[in-house]
Amino acid sequence: MKTKANRILDELENMFPEAKCELDHRNVFELLCAVILSAQTTDVSVNKVTPALFDMYPDARTMKDADLKDLENCIRSIGLYRNKALNLKKTAKDLDERFDGQVPESFDDLTSLPGVGRKTANVIQAEGFKIPALAVDTHVERVSKRLGLVDPDESTEGTESTLKRKIPKYRWIRAHHLFIFFGRYRCKAQRPLCGGCPFESFCVYLKGKTK
Ligand code: SF4
């Protein structure tokens, strides 16, 4: 018999066959920069600044030598741009000095980089290297709690381990994209579009037990 997690994922595959990473990138370095820039801002606004950014700084070596003010100007239209410019420069320096200018594959190496936490490292492993990983962002956490896959009081890290236990490894990467699409376009944080939702019968949010 199919597990609840697999039934949900099958339904989400029907709803969002096009689900994928929405941050534009041509290589793992660009992906890493885009993910760093995406903290607390939308992928759409990141995609507006990255073409010019990557034209000016196509790799870690050029970005580490960037003038900080120039770097800030490139990304000025997105939130927290000063911090993010600094993080990009520091990350590029580390990549150049410790990893020969390449983005490392291992989780520990990734999280040793400035501005790279658990979520970013998981995204880079999954999207950049196709290594099974399950990044938990705000959409993944909210949706998995509303769907009753994860306890409403669970921490973000606890959410990741519960999902990894309940979802077969071969589906981790797709699960991340599907939950994000569902959370972004249907099961929104404010005023989710619940009419006709296939998960209404067991939705924890509708029972008033989670946000
Ligand atoms: S019923 Fe509404 S809150 Fe519940 S899973 Fe569906 S869209 Fe989300």
Side-chain angles (χ1 to χ4, degrees):
M1 211 175 99
K2 262 195 218 172
T3 63
K4 178 179 176 182
N6 275 327
R7 284 201 311 275
I8 288 171
L9 289 172
D10 287 350
E11 191 63 50
L12 290 175
E13 284 286 8
N14 288 333
M15 292 166 80
F16 301 104
E18 75 285 16
K20 63 174 174 51
C21 175
E22 293 193 294
L23 287 169
D24 295 339
H25 63 280
R26 293 167 299 188
N27 53 52
V28 190
F29 172 72
E30 292 187 358
L31 175 66
L32 175 59
C33 294
V35 179
I36 290 173
L37 292 175
S38 71
Q40 293 175 55
T41 193
T42 64
D43 290 356
V44 173
S45 53
V46 172
N47 290 340
K48 284 185 185 150
V49 303
T50 45
L53 177 74
F54 300 144
D55 270 356
M56 277 181 83
Y57 311 109
D59 51 38
R61 281 187 189 106
T62 48
M63 193 172 281
K64 97 172 168 148
D65 292 330
D67 177 86
L68 190 57
K69 281 283 163 219
D70 290 343
L71 201 47
E72 285 179 1
N73 280 335
C74 252
I75 61 168
R76 182 173 285 273
S77 61
I78 60 171
L80 309 171
Y81 72 92
R82 285 206 176 91
N83 264 344
K84 289 176 181 174
L86 201 57
N87 270 339
L88 285 181
K89 202 168 150 65
K90 283 189 192 163
T91 298
K93 184 169 182 283
D94 257 32
L95 290 179
D96 188 46
E97 291 175 0
R98 295 172 49 216
F99 300 103
D100 199 24
Q102 303 302 306
V103 178
E105 280 190 30
S106 99
F107 190 83
D108 288 345
D109 285 342
L110 283 165
T111 49
S112 75
L113 294 166
V116 177
R118 221 184 149 78
K119 186 200 82 174
T120 302
N122 276 321
V123 171
I124 302 303
Q125 283 201 309
E127 198 58 29
F129 298 110
K130 307 300 172 209
I131 294 170
L134 210 166
V136 175
D137 74 348
T138 177
H139 296 299
V140 175
E141 184 161 353
R142 181 181 70 257
V143 161
S144 52
K145 287 177 179 176
R146 285 178 176 177
L147 293 173
L149 290 171
V150 174
D151 191 273
D153 301 324
E154 195 54 88
S155 65
T156 304
E157 204 167 325
T159 298
E160 183 188 323
S161 38
T162 302
L163 288 177
K164 281 179 169 170
R165 193 162 32 81
K166 293 190 173 176
I167 295 172
K169 200 169 187 174
Y170 78 93
R171 298 191 91 164
W172 287 358
I173 297 178
R174 281 301 289 162
H176 166 79
H177 293 311
L178 291 166
F179 285 159
I180 287 181
F181 265 58
F182 184 53
R184 197 172 273 165
Y185 302 112
R186 182 102 188 229
C187 191
K188 303 174 182 202
Q190 309 296 330
R191 292 188 292 280
L193 309 173
C194 301
C197 174
F199 310 122
E200 262 178 315
S201 62
F202 57 84
C203 173
V204 179
Y205 172 86
L206 290 183
K207 288 180 187 148
K209 292 185 180 156
T210 189
K211 288 186 281 173

